[in-house]
Amino acid sequence: MSDFIDKLKETFVTDDRWLYLVKGLGNTLIITFSAALIGIVLGFLVAMIRSTHDKTGKLKVGNFICRIYLTVIRGTPMVVQLMIMYFVIFATLNSRYKILVAILSFGINSGAYVAEIVRSGIMSIDNGQFEAGSSLGLSYSKTMLYIILPQAFKNVLPALANEVIVLLKETSVAGYIGMEDLTKGGDIIRAQTYQAFMPLLAVAAIYLIMVIILTSLVGKLERRLAKNEKR
Amino acid sequence: MKRDNNAPTREETEKAFTDELIVVSDLHKSFGDLHILKGISTTVRQGEKVVIIGPSGSGKSTFLRCLNLLERPTSGSIKLDGVDLLGFNEKGVNFMRQSMGMVFQHFNLFPHLTIRKNITLAPVKLGILSEEEANSRADDLLEKVGLYDKCDAYPGQLSGGQKQRIAIARALAMNPEVMLFDEPTSALDPEMVGEVLELMKQLAEAGMTMIVVTHEMGFAKEVASRVMFMDDGQILEEAPPDKFFSDPKNDRTKLFLSKVLV
């Protein structure tokens, strides 16, 4: 037992190595939440364009662009997209801003998945809701905004939460562009101490705790939204 | 040219026709190869209660849905107050729909909003009423349909009959000129049909122009000013209810009536 504690001390306390994890976690959270925000905004936008096209036949060009976006982003690995962004598109950018590149890459990637989630939510709403809105004289966009989206959002909340969880864990590849996120932090400790077990286990535990907290928060939100429709 | 003194002036002509609220002429609607409406022509006057009956698949609902352009007719014309609806752009269509209330078979209430919000959403978001005005109108309407105590409930907590009464109140909140009913009682349990028909009767007595697609022959007999029989995308017979039910002219009407009036 004391052996274990010694090892723990040696791995994390000596030279204040635990700070790598704290700093890494900070970056992971910043990237996750900023990217999730970009992804959700982008995803809703793309979903609206796609479902408007499906329902009314308008926005042909917009729909075409959205489909290319979805195909490319969903058809290539996240790591590759990240590296293309950092080493090709933003190659001349000062490396101080690499966190912005990471946020943008993860946001654009997440947006593609959010878009299809939200679109499925919009398409799952009974057409009668659209008709009821129209029959009252509401325009398509007002019907969408006040009638369809609130219901669709509620329906897709579990899937959206899932996407954020995936995103949180996916940010672990940020190390590929030298981003010091949580995983990279653990890796630095491993390199310094020649110990793999402790740092990797700690990193895994921290991800797990984050996901558990996230899940419970979403559960609370879901229950609050569901209150409205109890039968 | 010498003007004939007996001929009505243009103003007089127009005045004589102003009670023609909806004029439909030669309306066709196809879904792909399926020809649903095959030339519908009719006129609905102010205050008239037209009840459309006919076998399922005869195009009655499609006809009703064409009137407020939920379905876009393939050809023909629909005039509301003398203005051709098919010439409208999207904005015009939306504006026109404000004056045509519609009640659906499956209610189509907004499940995420309270009953009061269901009623006030459209007038408020369209800028017709302020939030307060809309609320007080909603309260009046809820009083009228006898569901004031449900104002803060959600649609999921109501029975089918209550939902349909709310749907009627929601349509009335826009102060429509005409109300369209698309089989308003077909999805209801039998014991709830009465309350909805009763409300529709009150509405009729208050002078509302109504076009009702229904299978309720009793309602047609009692409330209609004209009964319209449709089959195979055409109007086969139109007559006041007493004449229509006692002395139908068309063979298919007779056959239909012999089946439904047992």
Side-chain angles (χ1 to χ4, degrees):
Chain A
M1 188 65 204
S2 67
D3 208 39
F4 180 80
I5 292 173
D6 280 346
K7 241 184 182 166
L8 207 65
K9 264 190 183 157
E10 195 192 315
T11 317
F12 298 114
V13 182
T14 317
D15 296 339
D16 281 339
R17 276 195 275 267
W18 57 280
L19 282 176
Y20 286 117
L21 293 184
V22 174
K23 197 174 155 227
L25 177 62
N27 282 336
T28 291
L29 290 179
I30 291 171
I31 295 173
T32 303
F33 286 105
S34 312
L37 216 64
I38 294 175
I40 286 170
V41 171
L42 199 60
F44 266 87
L45 217 69
V46 171
M48 301 263 274
I49 292 170
R50 296 254 294 138
S51 50
T52 300
H53 173 266
D54 288 357
K55 288 215 178 264
T56 66
K58 288 182 199 162
L59 300 176
K60 280 208 170 66
V61 178
N63 184 56
F64 183 70
I65 294 169
C66 288
R67 281 181 61 176
I68 291 177
Y69 163 69
L70 294 176
T71 308
V72 171
I73 295 298
R74 293 196 302 169
T76 54
M78 177 64 236
V79 193
V80 177
Q81 290 167 23
L82 181 68
M83 291 200 290
I84 288 176
M85 278 292 241
Y86 187 66
F87 295 115
V88 181
I89 296 172
F90 291 106
T92 55
L93 196 77
N94 190 313
S95 67
R96 265 187 306 171
Y97 302 122
K98 78 173 57 151
I99 192 164
L100 295 182
V101 177
I103 288 170
L104 195 63
S105 306
F106 285 109
I108 290 173
N109 179 271
S110 186
Y113 294 93
V114 171
E116 288 302 273
I117 292 171
V118 173
R119 190 172 72 93
S120 76
I122 292 172
M123 297 316 261
S124 75
I125 302 296
D126 180 30
N127 208 34
Q129 295 287 311
F130 276 100
E131 290 184 347
S134 305
S135 78
L136 290 165
L138 293 169
S139 64
Y140 179 83
S141 52
K142 281 197 166 120
T143 303
M144 197 62 151
L145 188 62
Y146 298 117
I147 298 168
I148 306 303
L149 281 183
Q151 296 182 56
F153 178 73
K154 201 181 296 185
N155 291 350
V156 299
L157 198 60
L160 274 182
N162 195 43
E163 170 55 26
V164 176
I165 287 171
V166 169
L167 177 63
L168 172 74
K169 292 181 297 178
E170 187 107 282
T171 58
S172 61
V173 300
Y176 273 82
I177 61 165
M179 193 68 231
E180 286 182 20
D181 71 319
L182 180 58
T183 305
K184 184 79 173 175
D187 214 41
I188 292 171
I189 297 175
R190 181 181 61 84
Q192 288 187 357
T193 60
Y194 304 107
Q195 290 286 333
F197 180 78
M198 283 292 178
L200 285 179
L201 212 69
V203 166
I206 295 171
Y207 277 116
L208 184 64
I209 291 166
M210 291 296 115
V211 170
I212 290 171
I213 292 173
L214 203 61
T215 309
S216 82
L217 284 179
V218 173
K220 264 192 193 132
L221 182 60
E222 237 176 278
R223 275 192 297 279
R224 234 180 69 190
L225 288 176
K227 230 186 250 167
N228 293 351
E229 280 174 53
K230 59 181 175 234
R231 279 148 221 276
Chain B
M1 195 162 81
K2 199 171 172 275
R3 200 167 160 271
D4 185 350
N5 279 334
N6 293 328
T9 63
R10 210 182 135 199
E11 280 81 357
E12 281 170 330
T13 319
E14 269 173 23
K15 201 159 178 246
F17 279 96
T18 42
D19 72 329
E20 288 190 350
L21 193 58
I22 301 174
V23 182
V24 180
S25 48
D26 198 31
L27 197 70
H28 287 261
K29 172 70 186 173
S30 306
F31 293 99
D33 290 338
L34 215 59
H35 202 171
I36 303 286
L37 297 182
K38 300 172 181 168
I40 304 275
S41 300
T42 190
T43 300
V44 178
R45 287 170 192 285
Q46 192 88 49
E48 231 184 337
K49 292 102 183 74
V50 179
V51 173
I52 307 174
I53 62 173
S56 39
S58 58
K60 5 182 241 307
S61 282
T62 307
F63 171 53
L64 197 72
R65 292 159 57 83
C66 277
L67 289 179
N68 67 354
L69 301 189
L70 281 183
E71 304 289 356
R72 194 104 201 160
T74 315
S75 67
S77 85
I78 304 168
K79 287 194 172 129
L80 175 69
D81 283 332
V83 188
D84 193 350
L85 303 185
L86 298 176
F88 280 157
N89 61 7
E90 210 178 302
K91 231 175 173 177
V93 170
N94 290 335
F95 188 72
M96 168 278 287
R97 282 179 180 145
Q98 294 180 19
S99 54
M100 281 201 198
M102 179 139 188
V103 176
F104 299 88
Q105 181 177 0
H106 296 287
F107 330 126
N108 297 351
L109 293 181
F110 308 132
H112 61 301
L113 298 176
T114 62
I115 297 306
R116 189 186 270 126
K117 274 263 157 81
N118 261 275
I119 297 172
T120 60
L121 178 82
V124 171
K125 297 303 178 196
L126 289 167
I128 296 167
L129 297 176
S130 72
E131 190 101 36
E132 280 163 49
E133 290 167 330
N135 277 337
S136 88
R137 184 183 290 179
D139 290 351
D140 289 347
L141 285 167
L142 285 169
E143 206 79 73
K144 195 165 146 193
V145 302
L147 289 169
Y148 180 74
D149 54 322
K150 300 288 185 194
C151 60
D152 292 319
Y154 284 87
Q157 297 163 319
L158 302 187
S159 73
Q162 291 172 330
K163 279 185 201 165
Q164 198 58 298
R165 282 147 69 195
I166 296 298
I168 293 171
R170 180 177 70 179
L172 289 174
M174 295 298 295
N175 262 337
E177 280 184 69
V178 52
M179 287 281 281
L180 312 176
F181 293 85
D182 187 5
E183 303 201 21
T185 57
S186 298
L188 296 177
D189 289 341
E191 76 264 31
M192 294 170 182
V193 170
E195 57 187 89
V196 173
L197 291 182
E198 191 52 45
L199 177 60
M200 289 168 65
K201 249 177 247 173
Q202 283 172 26
L203 207 56
E205 279 158 16
M208 176 63 77
T209 311
M210 293 162 67
I211 305 177
V212 186
V213 171
T214 187
H215 296 290
E216 296 292 332
M217 296 302 145
F219 179 82
K221 274 182 194 166
E222 202 177 330
V223 179
S225 39
R226 172 156 49 114
V227 181
M228 192 185 280
F229 177 72
M230 277 183 72
D231 195 8
D232 198 24
Q234 285 165 320
I235 299 174
L236 294 183
E237 191 159 357
E238 288 185 85
D242 45 342
K243 247 175 99 186
F244 181 89
F245 287 106
S246 61
D247 185 23
K249 299 278 183 284
N250 188 290
D251 284 341
R252 268 193 277 178
T253 316
K254 284 179 197 163
L255 186 69
F256 179 76
L257 288 179
S258 73
K259 279 180 191 160
V260 293
L261 299 175
V262 186

